[in-house]
Amino acid sequence: MKKIQNYVTGQWREGKGEGVPMFDAITGEIVGLSDTEGLDFGEILQYGRTKGGEKLRKMTFQERGNMLKSLALYLMKKKAAFYEISYRTGATKVDSWIDIEGGFGNLFANASLRKLFPNQSYHVEGDPIDLSRGGRFMAHHIMVPKRGVAVHINAFNFPVWGMLEKCASNWMAGVPAVVKPATNTSFLTEAVVREIIASGILPEGALQLITGSARTILDTVESQDVVTFTGSATTGRLLKSHKRIIQESVPFNMEADSLNASVLGEDAVPGTPEFDLFIKEVRNEMTVKCGQKCTAIRRIIVPQNLVEDVQIALGKALGKITIGDPRLKEVRMGALVSKDQVTEVRDRVQELAKTARIVYGDLDKIETIGADAEKGAFLSPILLREDNPFTNLAVHETEAFGPVSTIMPYKNLDEAVTLAQMGKGSLVSSIATYNDKLATDYVVNAASHHGRILVINRDMAKESTGHGSPLPYLVHGGPGRAGGGEEMGGMRGIKHYLQRTAIQGSPTTLTEITGIYQQNAKYKEAENHPFQYHWEDIKPGMSLKTHKRTFTDTDIINFANLTWDHFYAHTDITSLDGSIFEKRTAHGYFIISAAAGLFVYPNKGPVAANYGLDSIRFLRPLYHNDTIYVRLTCKEKVDRDVTSTEHPSGIVKWHVEVFDANFENRPEKDKTDKDNPLVAVATILTMVQKKQEVFVEMTEEKISECLSKLKENMKPKWGIMTPQHMIEHLEYTYKIASGEIQDFEIATPEKYLEKVHASLYNYEKFPKNSQFPQLEKDTLDDLEHPDLETAIEKFKAQRKKYIEYFKEHSEAKLRNLVFGELNKYESYLLERKHLNHHFEQFELI
């Protein structure tokens, strides 16, 4: 019998024991054996801390985010194989989509968060804090990756999502992971991990997998580690109280199954969209994943006068649910994960049925399609009704982790809130209502007991992800029975794996530590205008002091007329009595505009565009005849992705300080405590191009130099071209670029063309062995010219025609086989990439 392997300490390993069988939830057949005997968990954790941790910690947030994005794209191409395996866990295609592609979605979502972090390996959190009146002693908080490993102990219901929703956060933080999935479904987790390891995208040691029992894994955790647990509240409390967790003060995040409640608002009567949405939501949460979701609706709280209506409507909805082999299109619900789980759910239902009535479903009878009900782990949806939920407490204490839910009545909203709270803490609650006042009252009063609350109504229904869907950007967790933990939540989830530290010192020192310019730090005078530097060469603190400008009455009046801003302080000096203004006052936005006129560099350079204004503050008025100068200082750099037709660039945040130049010349006796030479501050953003250092510029001299090295007998580094084939191919593409050949269809499909066209602007080389559309794969065309020397002369002549064409037709656009329509500049970009590609192929550059 095949053993499901573990991936630890850099290798795939089988346990040394007999193994524990894992079963196909549909057929009852053995899928494989789980075995961890002989694994040294202390060694595994230490391997992650050192091998994986060292590499991850050195990566920037941008590098980690791009790593996650690449991994998500890679796994998406492999997803079909995962679906086939997922069916064996009892999951339908929809169930599998939630687990598999939902897991990959967490990678994508966390990857996008890289834009919110600095372009370095650690995070700077919040705003700086001034600790002195003089502004020379301050503090800031930084967050660095913990130097441990994330130990994830996961439940059986989401073998892919459960792993990736956690790992995405710790990898983004720079922390490696050891994943311990539930044994029952670990064969699916193993399949995904195999592809992750095979991709080579993650650094070695960033991910290790234990596919079976790991009872002693917590014995060697350390204070820098983080342990997360998803599963039953009972098991979670046991692990949380482990002596090593307590001794080492190891962060322990617990996300436990909870008795989540959904409330039908009193206005959501039969016939309203909200009533129908409520019934649909409850049905889905009972049957998706066979109700094996920690977020599933267990308690259905409805107005007492609508209990019968809800019971009837739910019965009809559940009656349409077909059960059986999840591979079949007509099947809407598969099987529970195992026969043992069926027994567990039945036992819990029988406990609930001591006071509640089963009003839909049968514990012992079930009809299946395409599967043997006796061999598989099948169970009918079970709907109960508890008419006395304030006295019969089992419904608030006992969870049947399957397709089971209970209806209960309430008299007024206060009772509904109380019933929801009687679950003693849940991951999620929801309310269906079109009355926003009612929704507000429920949310505000119930929020203390729930990690998330969804308000269901007709306006959001088409785009809603549903009651039971945790989202990467929202916190997932809940108080009390739900475990008191928190994961995901966008940046919040990543911060769970970072150590927050308060840093104190001078502004200049903290600028160096944080990589962000701090107010009152020493300036780094720029040798050239800062706008002349590329993104890589700009450093926080780089600064420019401008020349001066004096405001006149005419300036202020003209600005008012231009903008139509005729606020009295700018235009009616007879109305200044009793105001804070003494004379005709310059518009705040005129001050900033004038400041920009002083610091903007007029010539074309690396600054591609004004990207926006982050913040602005006017500290005191400026009047006509006042004189200003500006200090422009690089505050922070933020990397960005570029997918459109623009060159790679980053964002630079500039700290703009506007000073009153007259202040320096004012007698000391005329200065007061309120006076300050600083009159306005702002943070502006510019888009700054990155340096192009990948491609050699293909001047006529450079091309001649390269061709002089080309010999007939040279062999390519890749591909099958001969030197002459390469030159004749380039000549042909110049015929296209000069307009001589245009009678062809563009080979790139329309849906990809925009993205392919935009790729001309990036600094990435053409892939080796790229296939030219008109060439047959692995074959060479017949040569047109008698020898290489002749081919080179023809190539040069054709390139000259290309250059002459665009001299005469500078606005022209010509079609290209791969990239669509190209203008003069885009043709130059293609030429540079193309020549570099083939000259490198023959080691000419």
Side-chain angles (χ1 to χ4, degrees):
M1 182 59 64
K2 173 189 172 184
K3 281 189 176 181
I4 304 301
Q5 293 185 315
N6 309 279
Y7 186 76
V8 294
T9 61
Q11 57 188 317
W12 287 99
R13 290 175 56 184
E14 291 184 2
K16 297 179 180 179
E18 295 182 2
V20 176
M22 293 173 283
F23 299 95
D24 187 311
I26 305 301
T27 66
E29 299 171 342
I30 296 178
V31 176
L33 300 176
S34 166
D35 184 13
T36 59
E37 189 173 320
L39 298 186
D40 185 332
F41 297 123
E43 179 188 14
I44 292 167
L45 298 189
Q46 186 58 26
Y47 182 82
R49 294 181 194 114
T50 54
K51 186 73 174 179
E54 289 176 2
K55 293 179 181 178
L56 283 171
R57 286 193 297 271
K58 291 178 181 178
M59 297 172 71
T60 66
F61 281 101
Q62 276 64 42
E63 289 169 337
R64 296 175 200 145
N66 285 322
M67 175 183 74
L68 263 61
K69 183 179 179 181
S70 297
L71 182 59
L73 291 169
Y74 176 87
L75 291 174
M76 283 293 287
K77 296 176 182 177
K78 307 287 183 178
K79 66 182 181 181
F82 304 143
Y83 275 86
E84 287 303 314
I85 300 170
S86 182
Y87 290 134
R88 307 195 75 178
T89 71
T92 64
K93 187 172 184 180
V94 171
D95 298 339
S96 300
W97 177 82
I98 295 169
D99 184 31
I100 296 168
E101 295 187 52
F104 302 163
N106 269 277
L107 294 175
F108 280 121
N110 276 270
S112 69
L113 294 174
R114 67 192 183 277
K115 303 167 189 175
L116 303 180
F117 287 94
N119 190 41
Q120 52 196 25
S121 61
Y122 54 93
H123 179 51
V124 182
E125 186 183 47
D127 295 322
I129 303 161
D130 187 2
L131 300 176
S132 66
R133 293 187 66 183
R136 301 301 174 188
F137 180 51
M138 62 169 298
H140 217 145
H141 289 90
I142 66 169
M143 301 188 76
V144 300
K146 288 180 177 289
R147 290 180 172 258
V149 65
V151 180
H152 299 311
I153 304 170
N154 293 333
F156 64 78
N157 50 341
F158 288 103
V160 182
W161 183 89
M163 169 177 65
L164 294 180
E165 62 99 358
K166 295 179 174 68
C167 285
S169 295
N170 64 250
W171 288 332
M172 268 301 291
V175 175
V178 174
V179 176
K180 163 58 186 90
T183 301
N184 298 20
T185 54
S186 62
F187 56 88
L188 175 54
T189 313
E190 185 232 28
V192 176
V193 172
R194 279 195 178 276
E195 288 296 347
I196 292 174
I197 299 304
S199 74
I201 293 170
L202 296 181
E204 172 52 44
L207 174 62
Q208 296 181 86
L209 175 70
I210 299 169
T211 58
S213 176
R215 295 184 183 278
T216 61
I217 193 168
L218 298 186
D219 291 352
T220 54
V221 293
E222 297 178 355
S223 60
Q224 286 288 307
D225 298 329
V226 176
V227 177
T228 73
F229 169 80
T230 300
S232 75
T234 302
T235 304
R237 286 191 290 268
L238 181 66
L239 296 177
K240 194 172 184 178
S241 63
H242 190 287
K243 65 178 183 180
R244 187 74 176 179
I245 296 290
I246 297 170
Q247 288 171 354
E248 291 282 315
S249 298
V250 178
F252 187 99
N253 188 79
M254 177 174 162
E255 187 255 283
D257 306 331
S258 58
L259 291 158
N260 311 292
S262 188
V263 177
L264 180 66
E266 293 175 276
D267 63 309
V269 297
T272 63
E274 285 68 36
F275 182 88
D276 296 337
L277 290 168
F278 180 78
I279 297 300
K280 181 181 178 181
E281 201 70 47
V282 174
R283 181 204 64 192
N284 287 346
E285 291 305 314
M286 287 182 66
T287 57
V288 170
K289 292 289 289 185
C290 283
Q292 298 170 115
K293 293 167 61 181
C294 56
T295 53
I297 296 170
R298 304 298 179 198
R299 298 177 298 148
I300 309 164
I301 303 173
V302 303
Q304 60 182 6
N305 63 316
L306 298 179
V307 168
E308 293 292 337
D309 296 289
V310 170
Q311 180 179 318
I312 293 168
L314 270 176
K316 290 180 179 178
L318 292 171
K320 297 177 182 179
I321 299 297
T322 49
I323 304 169
D325 186 339
R327 295 174 180 83
L328 301 177
K329 291 183 179 179
E330 60 268 33
V331 168
R332 294 292 175 266
M333 191 173 96
L336 273 69
V337 71
S338 67
K339 287 273 193 177
D340 288 343
Q341 188 62 22
V342 172
T343 301
E344 171 74 17
V345 174
R346 280 177 173 166
D347 289 346
R348 299 290 82 77
V349 171
Q350 287 168 354
E351 289 180 28
L352 293 169
K354 290 177 182 178
T355 58
R357 290 183 293 131
I358 297 177
V359 294
Y360 180 88
D362 192 320
L363 287 175
D364 302 312
K365 183 180 178 182
I366 186 169
E367 294 182 4
T368 55
I369 300 174
D372 189 330
E374 295 298 319
K375 292 182 180 179
F378 295 102
L379 183 70
S380 164
I382 302 293
L383 181 65
L384 299 101
R385 173 172 167 173
E386 175 56 78
D387 291 326
N388 299 295
F390 288 99
T391 55
N392 298 328
L393 303 182
V395 72
H396 306 298
E397 297 171 351
T398 302
E399 180 180 27
F401 199 72
V404 180
S405 196
T406 305
I407 301 171
M408 62 193 73
Y410 72 87
K411 294 178 183 177
N412 52 50
L413 187 64
D414 287 343
E415 281 199 357
V417 170
T418 300
L419 288 172
Q421 293 173 343
M422 288 174 71
K424 297 182 179 179
S426 80
L427 297 171
V428 57
S429 179
S430 57
I431 181 169
T433 178
Y434 202 52
N435 183 323
D436 288 339
K437 172 65 167 62
L438 191 154
T440 301
D441 289 344
Y442 178 76
V443 168
V444 171
N445 289 288
S448 60
H449 285 61
H450 308 289
R452 175 169 57 90
I453 297 179
L454 171 70
V455 180
I456 303 165
N457 66 32
R458 67 196 74 175
D459 294 340
M460 50 73 79
K462 289 184 178 180
E463 298 179 14
S464 172
T465 51
H467 169 104
S469 299
L471 298 175
Y473 298 128
L474 303 181
V475 295
H476 180 48
R481 179 181 173 125
E486 182 184 286
E487 56 196 25
M488 300 201 300
M491 288 182 71
R492 294 172 65 100
I494 296 168
K495 289 180 180 181
H496 293 318
Y497 301 94
L498 300 171
Q499 174 61 46
R500 182 181 288 104
T501 303
I503 308 298
Q504 298 169 276
S506 72
T508 302
T509 299
L510 265 61
T511 293
E512 294 302 314
I513 293 174
T514 62
I516 299 174
Y517 174 77
Q518 308 289 348
Q519 183 81 29
N520 296 319
K522 293 177 182 177
Y523 302 117
K524 301 174 183 176
E525 297 292 347
E527 292 184 11
N528 302 307
H529 194 288
F531 283 14
Q532 292 182 271
Y533 292 94
H534 286 87
W535 190 78
E536 296 89 339
D537 294 330
I538 298 173
K539 306 299 179 186
M542 179 182 283
S543 186
L544 168 76
K545 181 180 178 180
T546 71
H547 51 281
K548 299 174 182 178
R549 173 176 177 173
T550 300
F551 297 160
T552 67
D553 258 355
T554 303
D555 290 333
I556 298 170
I557 293 169
N558 285 343
F559 191 84
N561 292 332
L562 179 65
T563 61
W564 292 8
D565 178 355
H566 294 104
F567 185 65
Y568 77 91
H570 314 310
T571 58
D572 183 7
I573 58 175
T574 65
S575 300
L576 299 181
D577 290 347
S579 73
I580 63 171
F581 307 107
E582 300 172 6
K583 310 176 194 176
R584 188 185 305 282
T585 308
H587 303 67
Y589 295 111
F590 174 50
I591 296 172
I592 292 301
S593 299
L598 290 172
F599 67 69
V600 165
Y601 185 71
N603 297 345
K604 185 177 180 179
V607 173
N610 181 343
Y611 200 67
L613 187 65
D614 241 13
S615 62
I616 186 170
R617 181 79 180 274
F618 303 112
L619 304 178
R620 65 176 179 84
L622 281 176
Y623 305 116
H624 65 89
N625 295 329
D626 280 347
T627 302
I628 65 166
Y629 69 89
V630 180
R631 172 67 74 170
L632 178 75
T633 307
C634 173
K635 180 177 181 180
E636 184 180 359
K637 294 164 58 181
V638 182
D639 211 344
R640 68 186 290 264
D641 295 330
V642 175
T643 56
S644 57
T645 51
E646 58 182 86
H647 290 300
S649 62
I651 301 303
V652 178
K653 295 184 178 182
W654 300 95
H655 183 56
V656 177
E657 298 168 288
V658 182
F659 292 94
D660 179 0
N662 297 335
F663 181 86
E664 298 170 2
N665 302 321
R666 194 179 307 166
E668 288 297 324
K669 64 182 180 62
D670 294 338
K671 297 179 182 178
T672 69
D673 291 341
K674 294 181 180 180
D675 285 335
N676 190 318
L678 187 63
V679 296
V681 291
T683 300
I684 68 158
L685 286 67
T686 58
M687 186 189 302
V688 183
Q689 287 183 6
K690 297 179 179 179
K691 287 191 288 189
Q692 193 292 106
E693 298 179 312
V694 176
F695 303 111
V696 176
E697 289 298 331
M698 284 296 147
T699 62
E700 190 169 340
E701 292 75 18
K702 188 63 182 179
I703 293 172
S704 296
E705 176 191 328
C706 291
L707 294 178
S708 67
K709 303 175 187 176
L710 190 65
K711 307 301 178 186
E712 189 72 57
N713 60 350
M714 294 178 76
K715 302 294 182 184
K717 291 168 64 179
W718 66 82
I720 60 173
M721 279 186 170
T722 67
Q724 187 171 337
H725 278 99
M726 182 265 287
I727 293 297
E728 291 192 10
H729 165 66
L730 291 176
E731 179 197 356
Y732 180 79
T733 58
Y734 274 123
K735 288 181 179 179
I736 294 174
S738 59
E740 286 187 24
I741 299 176
Q742 288 285 287
D743 57 339
F744 54 78
E745 294 295 326
I746 296 172
T748 303
E750 184 67 31
K751 63 179 179 179
Y752 301 121
L753 187 58
E754 184 178 354
K755 184 176 181 180
V756 171
H757 180 91
S759 71
L760 288 173
Y761 286 79
N762 66 35
Y763 301 155
E764 298 173 14
K765 297 179 180 180
F766 285 157
K768 296 176 180 178
N769 296 307
S770 298
Q771 184 66 33
F772 189 67
Q774 292 184 343
L775 292 178
E776 190 174 338
K777 187 175 175 61
D778 299 327
T779 61
L780 291 171
D781 280 356
D782 294 335
L783 292 170
E784 183 177 337
H785 304 302
D787 51 47
L788 178 61
E789 184 178 354
T790 303
I792 289 175
E793 291 305 314
K794 294 290 185 180
F795 158 83
K796 289 181 176 179
Q798 194 61 49
R799 182 175 185 271
K800 186 175 181 180
K801 290 181 181 180
Y802 151 71
I803 293 171
E804 290 298 322
Y805 176 84
F806 276 108
K807 278 184 179 178
E808 296 176 13
H809 308 88
S810 59
E811 302 298 319
K813 286 188 176 182
L814 294 174
R815 297 195 315 152
N816 179 271
L817 272 163
V818 176
F819 298 96
E821 284 195 346
L822 304 182
N823 59 29
K824 178 181 179 181
Y825 183 68
E826 290 164 342
S827 297
Y828 149 73
L829 294 177
L830 174 57
E831 178 195 30
R832 185 174 70 183
K833 276 197 174 191
H834 199 201
L835 292 184
N836 270 263
H837 175 77
H838 287 296
F839 287 179
E840 185 181 341
Q841 182 184 20
F842 284 89
E843 300 185 82
L844 305 178
I845 53 175

